[in-house]
């Protein structure tokens, strides 16, 4: 672990101790945490250490944006970190004793933030052929390998869909590629049926690099909010979405 990572972890944990009273919760892990009477802004202060001010992301090149994501998606991810379906030492530690009610309160707070996205640079070091393959996967998919297009689930504008599908734009390329890679290697899981795990295992490393590279240079649309619904049914069942 680098010195910067150690410092970041110390800062995050220190903020958590102040905001959540985690010392007391750690001492009594059998008692689920209830939402505190203090302001939610203070209680999510630890998130800012990595995800940026008010969850709007940072220029660190890895951490995802939180503000404006569908609350159902954020809640599902927080539960997955708490319950062991997703793995990140800092995140697992911070939410391990938090109740569903507390996690939903956090999710709804970040979902309700309406913050501008920074300009997206159209410059990429990916070769044109790689970007073209990424565009194909995002907009058309690969029917021969049963890989649906990203737009079939994440919306025509790729800004996500309520109540629980995240947007794919405005995210660091490294983050997108690492998460798709985690589906490919079965290091990341979701509620069953785990549709992204099925899709991820059908993709190659080249596919992942291509689609992550293409998504990373797409401009944000005029309205970056998640769509209210999809125009058609999902191409496959996903456990995170209501039936």
């Amino acid at each position: 672990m680098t010195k910067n990572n150690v410092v970041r972890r110390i800062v995050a944990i220190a903020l958590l101790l102040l905001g959540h009273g985690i010392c007391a919760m750690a001492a009594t892990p059998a008692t689920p945490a209830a939402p505190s009477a203090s302001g939610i802004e203070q209680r999510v202060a630890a998130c800012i250490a990595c995800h940026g001010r008010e969850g709007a992301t940072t220029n660190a090149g890895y951490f995802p944006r939180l503000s404006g994501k569908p609350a159902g998606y954020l809640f599902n991810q927080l539960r997955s970190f708490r319950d062991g379906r997703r793995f990140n030492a800092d995140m697992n530690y911070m939410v391990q004793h938090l109740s569903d009610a507390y996690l939903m309160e956090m999710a709804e707070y970040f979902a309700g933030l309406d913050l501008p996205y920074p300009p997206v640079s159209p410059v990429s070091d990916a070769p044109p052929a790689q970007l073209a393959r990424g565009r194909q996967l995002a907009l058309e998919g690969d029917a021969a390998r049963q890989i649906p297009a990203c737009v079939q689930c994440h919306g025509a504008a790729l800004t996500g869909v309520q109540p629980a599908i995240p947007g794919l734009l405005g995210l660091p390329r490294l983050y997108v590629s690492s998460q798709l890679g985690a589906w490919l290697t079965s290091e990341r899981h979701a509620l069953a049926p785990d549709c992204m795990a099925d899709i991820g295992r059908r993709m190659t490393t080249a596919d992942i690099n291509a689609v992550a590279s293409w998504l990373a240079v797409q401009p944000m649309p005029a309205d970056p909010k998640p769509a209210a619904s999809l125009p058609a049914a999902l191409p496959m069942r996903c456990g995170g979405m209501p039936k």
Side-chain angles (χ1 to χ4, degrees):
M1 180 179 295
T2 66
K3 181 178 180 181
N4 287 341
N5 286 339
V6 171
V7 171
R8 185 180 295 122
R9 178 172 294 185
I10 292 172
V11 169
I13 292 174
L15 285 170
L16 186 70
L17 295 178
L18 291 174
H20 291 297
I22 198 78
C23 287
M25 287 190 288
T28 57
T31 304
S36 165
S38 63
I40 184 64
E41 295 86 355
Q42 295 176 348
R43 291 185 280 118
V44 298
C47 306
I48 297 170
C50 294
H51 292 274
R53 180 170 174 76
E54 295 183 300
T57 200
T58 70
N59 60 0
Y62 182 79
F63 300 103
R65 177 184 174 100
L66 301 181
S67 60
K69 291 280 181 68
Y73 171 75
L74 295 175
F75 175 62
N76 286 340
Q77 302 316 300
L78 288 168
R79 282 200 302 167
S80 288
F81 281 119
R82 184 194 64 190
D83 300 341
R85 287 182 294 273
R86 289 191 66 178
F87 302 98
N88 175 281
D90 296 335
M91 287 298 302
N92 297 137
Y93 177 80
M94 287 192 286
V95 300
Q96 62 182 325
H97 301 307
L98 302 185
S99 66
D100 279 359
Y102 206 135
L103 297 181
M104 179 57 81
E105 188 179 9
M106 294 168 65
E108 290 177 343
Y109 168 76
F110 284 111
L113 294 178
D114 187 10
L115 299 172
Y117 280 78
V120 176
S121 172
V123 178
S124 175
D125 58 3
Q130 186 179 61
L131 292 173
R133 174 60 174 165
R135 181 185 184 279
Q136 178 188 21
L137 288 169
L139 303 184
E140 303 171 20
D142 188 334
R145 291 163 54 205
Q146 296 183 305
I147 300 174
C150 299
V151 294
Q152 289 183 261
C153 299
H154 294 270
L158 293 169
T159 56
V161 181
Q162 297 288 1
I165 298 178
L168 299 180
L169 303 184
L171 292 167
R173 179 173 68 173
L174 177 59
Y175 176 77
V176 175
S177 61
S178 68
Q179 296 311 302
L180 287 172
W183 295 116
L184 173 64
T185 58
S186 298
E187 294 176 13
R188 177 174 173 175
H189 305 275
L191 296 170
D194 193 343
C195 55
M196 275 306 303
D198 291 337
I199 295 170
R201 285 192 288 267
R202 299 169 191 169
M203 300 178 74
T204 65
T205 300
D207 291 333
I208 289 170
N209 289 334
V211 74
S213 297
W214 185 82
L215 289 169
V217 296
Q218 300 312 299
M220 295 302 302
D223 181 5
K225 294 183 174 61
S229 62
L230 284 169
L234 290 170
M236 56 202 307
R237 289 185 58 208
C238 290
M241 285 289 282
K243 298 179 181 179

